[in-house]
Amino acid sequence: MEFDHIIIRYGEISTKKRNRKRFVDKMKNNIKWVLRDFPNAALSASRERMYVILNGENHNEIIERLRGIFGIQSLSPALKVNKDLDEMKKAALYYYRQLSETPGTFKISAKRSDKDFPYSTDEINHELGGHILRNSEGLKVDVKNPDFNLRVEARKEAVYLTGEIIRGAGGLPLGSSGKAMLMLSGGIDSPVAGYFSMKRGLEIECIHFYSPPFTSERSRQKVIDLTEKLSELSGGMKLHIVPFTDIQLLIQKQIPENYTMTSTRRLMLRIADKIREKNDAMAIVTGESLGQVASQTLNSMFAINEVTNTPILRPLITMDKTDIIDIARELDTLEISNRPYEDCCTVFTPAAPKTKPQREKVNFYESFVDFDSLIEKAVENTETLTISRQSKKAEDPVDDLF
Ligand code: ATP
Ligand code: MG
């Protein structure tokens, strides 16, 4: 016996009446993407749920992959058997044995929509429950608050069994909230910020500023690797690499040292905003966290943010560094971020950056420098890479039953 389908329950989507179809369609595409690697599996969707028909594919592998898909609230493996008591007993025991954690207590909840079914719900509960008890040790029945509730539904065409509820990634389907540009450094924070924005349904394109020859090829590769990691969540992602050396050198030359960091951030933001506009995105995401470093004090953000009206999303703003590191570890980005190669900001970091920069002052200092033409040049010379997750199979074999 093997599980033959997986039930997928939507989270918040089902409460968003008007947008539901769009949301469900996005999620369907995202699930199909994952199922590309399982050629026999098929997807079927209804208003409230989706089903993956396994057709012999391994349920654990598919569940593992589905758990990463945003918008899925929970998953349950399920069995369909004939309306035969012996088969139902076998299936119940199989389900119990497949559970990822052995329960201390359980119950059977039978339902009968087929009124001609030869056994009452009480009889089904009793027969299947007794069979599991006889074939297990230390397990008890608890009808009020069981660790494992095996639901058995006798319908006209067959009997369905399901019980284990596996938590999904939650959030909203990727792409359902529009598009934003992620300012991706080689650090720990920005990939985590990217993850959270994708979880909330944003499609992401990355922007990275680099300053050769002060930053090396390896630090550039680090950002490409981070983008590749993030693109595992979506299947593919653009990375815009902005040459920033000329601007940084001009800042070093023209701006008083304790304001170079503030000016650098303002110029990055101005360029990022132009690239955002060119790519029809509506927000910029950063990995800033309040008070973490000099550029992330409220005074700094106030001075830096002045250069644009575009929404700046900062998913990590209230998070502690230790918690961010834990998430980076889970996402598998930590190891890449920890590679020691220099970032364009670290190379040019002044000894004592202002933690309370003032808008008037930074505007005054910048007024003597013509940055506009260099900004245009940087945007023009930006290199765009399309990074895609490697899929085992290229064709799209999903048989859509919807
Ligand atoms: P991170 O760990 O993401 O590098 P950080 O703690 O090092 O963050 P900063 O270096 O002050 O903090 O950067 C704050 C944010 O500015 C980053 O999270 C990122 O969004 C953006 N940023 C910094 N440097 C770059 C860069 N070279 N290219 C693109 N974005 C950058
Ligand atoms: Mg950094």
Side-chain angles (χ1 to χ4, degrees), residues 31 42 58 70 91 116 120 159 177 184 196 207 211 268 271 290 292 298 315 338 348 371:
I31 293 175
N58 182 289
F70 300 129
D116 300 329
S120 70
V159 177
S177 299
L184 186 67
F196 279 124
I207 301 179
S211 301
M268 277 189 177
I271 296 172
L290 192 59
Q292 202 186 82
L298 206 50
N338 274 341
F348 290 95
F371 283 114

Side-chain angles (χ1 to χ4, degrees), residues 24-34 43 50:
V24 170
D25 283 349
K26 285 271 182 210
M27 205 163 90
K28 235 173 79 179
N29 284 337
N30 299 340
I31 293 175
K32 278 185 178 184
W33 169 260
V34 158
L43 184 66
M50 285 188 207

Side-chain angles (χ1 to χ4, degrees), residues 7-31:
I7 300 170
I8 298 171
R9 299 178 195 85
Y10 317 148
E12 278 177 51
I13 314 176
S14 38
T15 62
K16 299 194 187 301
K17 290 228 157 43
R18 239 178 300 157
N19 287 326
R20 180 178 348 217
K21 187 171 161 13
R22 197 165 57 84
F23 279 46
V24 170
D25 283 349
K26 285 271 182 210
M27 205 163 90
K28 235 173 79 179
N29 284 337
N30 299 340
I31 293 175

Side-chain angles (χ1 to χ4, degrees), residues 7 185 236 250 285 304 326 351 362 379:
I7 300 170
S185 67
L250 193 60
V285 180
I304 295 164
D326 286 345
V362 69
V379 173

